[in-house]
Amino acid sequence: QVQLQESGPGLVKSSETLSLTCIVSGYSITSGYYWGWIRQPPGKGLEWIGSIYHRGSTYYNPSLKSRVTISLDTSKNQFSLKLSSVTAADTAVYFCARDVVPTAGFDSWGQGTLVTVSS
Amino acid sequence: DIQMTQSPSALSASVGDRVTITCRASQSISSYLAWYQQKPGKAPKLLIYKASSLESGVPSRFSGSGSGTEFTLTISSLQPDDFATYYCQQYNSYPLTFGGGTKVEIK
């Protein structure tokens, strides 16, 4: 069964770039589906950041589009998130997930990683 | 963007109760709706997809219905493990959007 695991710094300074990686096991990311990032500020709801198709096309939330880049590393079976010019409002738990659109939503998730933006 | 509105935002219920949560979309999303359960400190878990299809391994007390703009998640007999926050999500069009969540608490 597919498993996802986020990795990256838990603390990022304001105005810098947040970088996270999602390591996928049990399924080749080139075999199909989209691969997405979702975040959840402490005590709040879920916000979709963006998704990347297994062939490389990307879809981003317009509210973040100018600052977000999602990419694949097929040699390592992982995908990555970069969010530039972060502020305190970007403090959240960041989840990676397999996006099985249009069949369903996100059917497999990583455990999530808390990223805190400090001034 | 399609706005997803859940109601209520919180409810208190007892074990054995029938619980219904509503999700409304700001425009038609056909049946492209998913429901998730999230417990504190954990990732969301997919329960229902395509508005009414039960994800593999999810207990049959969970059911979903609706199409277009109005959807419901029903728990037929609430169990202790079901106390959690529930989210709907539309995947009809980008950007993908979630409802604000419904917290189900013990009465």
Side-chain angles (χ1 to χ4, degrees), chain B residues 14-93:
Chain B
S14 301
V15 172
D17 283 353
R18 182 182 182 88
V19 169
T20 298
I21 299 168
T22 298
C23 179
R24 288 187 174 87
S26 61
Q27 63 189 75
S28 178
I29 57 170
S30 185
S31 295
Y32 295 112
L33 184 100
W35 288 99
Y36 301 87
Q37 176 193 68
Q38 187 180 32
K39 296 182 179 179
K42 300 294 186 181
K45 173 187 174 183
L46 179 65
L47 300 175
I48 302 283
Y49 61 94
K50 272 198 174 169
S52 61
S53 295
L54 194 67
E55 174 72 346
S56 176
V58 174
S60 59
R61 63 181 179 272
F62 290 93
S63 64
S65 64
S67 66
T69 61
E70 291 230 4
F71 302 87
T72 58
L73 173 70
T74 300
I75 309 172
S76 60
S77 178
L78 198 65
Q79 298 302 301
D81 191 47
D82 301 338
F83 293 96
T85 300
Y86 294 84
Y87 293 93
C88 61
Q89 178 229 332
Q90 67 82 18
Y91 53 96
N92 179 75
S93 62

Side-chain angles (χ1 to χ4, degrees), chain A residues 7-116:
Chain A
S7 66
L11 189 64
V12 180
K13 291 184 178 179
S14 183
S15 80
E16 296 189 343
T17 296
L18 178 160
S19 296
L20 295 173
T21 296
C22 182
I23 301 167
V24 180
S25 58
Y27 188 88
S28 171
I29 61 174
T30 59
S31 293
Y33 298 127
Y34 293 78
W35 303 88
W37 289 95
I38 302 99
R39 70 180 183 178
Q40 185 171 39
K44 296 189 177 180
L46 300 163
E47 179 182 34
W48 173 73
I49 299 170
S51 296
I52 186 164
Y53 192 44
H54 69 97
R55 293 181 180 176
S57 54
T58 52
Y59 300 85
Y60 298 137
N61 192 323
S63 67
L64 299 168
K65 187 174 183 177
S66 63
R67 300 193 290 130
V68 172
T69 303
I70 297 175
S71 58
L72 296 173
D73 185 339
T74 57
S75 66
K76 296 181 180 178
N77 209 44
Q78 62 189 37
F79 61 104
S80 298
L81 168 70
K82 291 188 185 299
L83 181 66
S84 63
S85 304
V86 297
T87 69
D90 295 310
T91 293
V93 175
Y94 286 75
F95 297 99
C96 61
R98 187 171 73 173
D99 180 358
V100 295
V101 166
T103 305
F106 298 97
D107 73 339
S108 301
W109 295 66
Q111 65 186 26
T113 187
L114 174 63
V115 178
T116 302

